[in-house]
Amino acid sequence: MKTVEIGGLSVSNAAPLLVIAGPCQLESLDHARMIAGHMAQVCADAGAQFVFKGSYDKANRTSLSGKRGLGMEAGLAILAAIREEFGCPVLTDVHAPEQCTQAAQAVDIIQIPAFLCRQTDLLLAAGESGAAINIKKGQFLAPWDMANVAEKVASTGNERLMLTERGVSFGYNALVADMRSLPEMAKTGYPVIMDATHAVAQPGGLGGSSGGQREFAPVLARAAVALGIGGVFLETHEAPDNAPSDGPNMIALDDMADVIGTLMALDAVAKAHPVRL
């Protein structure tokens, strides 16, 4: 079992749960500070490890009219400021190989979007950046296929990897989460993360944008954490219905304390009695 050191945190499938949380899309420095401050306190109170996440560009919106975000320069400046003020690691997505080096100067974790998880040049550039890498499993991949994906990054000498489950395509505008994928991916030794918010998304379900069933995000998070995993990925917003992206599947910020508290209780039981396959 591998342990990944990230900005003072030790992440593994046996360590206390890592919570990756923040808005889907960065909106402003003040907005990011508000969410980061709230989540840092919630995680500290619950005993969870915390990483703040935010995207400077949503490059795979359903339609051309979807809001993309603040852009790379402004977004990375916000993330660097959050890391400095709150002392927590920060995470953002990249979409092209040439973005990796610049992103790694501002963030601790580079995230590979699910749709891009087999793009070899992107994976190699991410690995060579020196940042920790979180790879989301494509909706089109079996969990055991992620061993090949991880091997691409590890070939650069960078084994600071995490593998994230976010559901698999299940008919039109639907995803399904197969909890067997978590222990399957854990066979690689790398920390496994459950993206409980995107797993309840309904891609393209609203025609020009994606729908979602946010009420089920805490349900999937509970089920995943009860297996004993490295972390959970939860997007949050103070007013999800007004968020510029992924509102239908985001958890309300005011609900996060109860959600994280419950997850940490389950995590303690799961880590004391690990699953054996």
Side-chain angles (χ1 to χ4, degrees), residues 18-249:
L18 176 72
V19 174
I20 301 171
C24 178
Q25 187 178 126
L26 291 169
E27 299 178 35
S28 68
L29 176 57
D30 286 344
H31 186 257
R33 290 181 69 251
M34 181 271 293
I35 292 184
H38 184 91
M39 287 307 308
Q41 188 62 57
V42 163
C43 289
D45 290 345
Q49 304 190 85
F50 173 57
V51 167
F52 177 80
K53 69 81 50 183
S55 297
Y56 58 78
D57 180 20
K58 303 304 295 183
N60 62 347
R61 300 307 306 274
T62 299
S63 69
L64 186 60
S65 62
K67 294 180 180 179
R68 291 280 298 265
L70 299 177
M72 189 172 189
E73 183 175 349
L76 291 181
I78 289 173
L79 290 163
I82 294 297
R83 178 169 62 180
E84 176 69 21
E85 179 173 354
F86 295 99
C88 62
V90 293
L91 172 153
T92 199
D93 314 82
V94 293
H95 304 94
E98 58 269 22
Q99 296 178 353
C100 294
T101 299
Q102 185 177 350
Q105 295 172 2
V107 305
D108 302 273
I109 306 171
I110 288 175
Q111 182 165 276
I112 306 298
F115 286 127
L116 301 178
C117 71
R118 287 185 54 170
Q119 297 299 314
T120 301
D121 290 344
L122 178 59
L123 292 168
L124 295 179
E128 290 165 356
S129 76
I133 313 298
N134 183 38
I135 311 172
K136 289 199 174 183
K137 179 177 74 64
Q139 301 92 322
F140 43 85
L141 288 184
W144 42 84
D145 293 332
M146 287 298 285
N148 291 324
V149 173
E151 185 178 357
K152 292 181 182 182
V153 178
S155 73
T156 69
N158 185 350
E159 293 189 340
R160 299 172 63 222
L161 305 178
M162 299 182 292
L163 306 178
T164 294
E165 169 61 39
R166 52 124 332 134
V168 64
S169 294
F170 186 70
Y172 297 124
N173 306 122
L175 300 171
V176 64
D178 181 356
M179 291 299 158
R180 294 175 298 178
S181 69
L182 299 168
E184 281 287 352
M185 289 197 295
K187 290 178 181 178
T188 64
Y190 294 111
V192 172
I193 311 296
M194 179 67 197
D195 180 349
T197 43
H198 287 101
V200 299
Q202 296 169 322
L206 299 181
S209 62
S210 293
Q213 296 176 296
R214 72 169 67 101
E215 67 272 21
F216 288 110
V219 176
L220 291 187
R222 287 187 183 201
V225 171
L227 293 173
I229 59 175
V232 63
F233 180 107
L234 299 169
E235 289 188 335
T236 185
H237 195 278
E238 78 283 2
D241 289 335
N242 296 323
S245 61
D246 276 346
N249 44 281

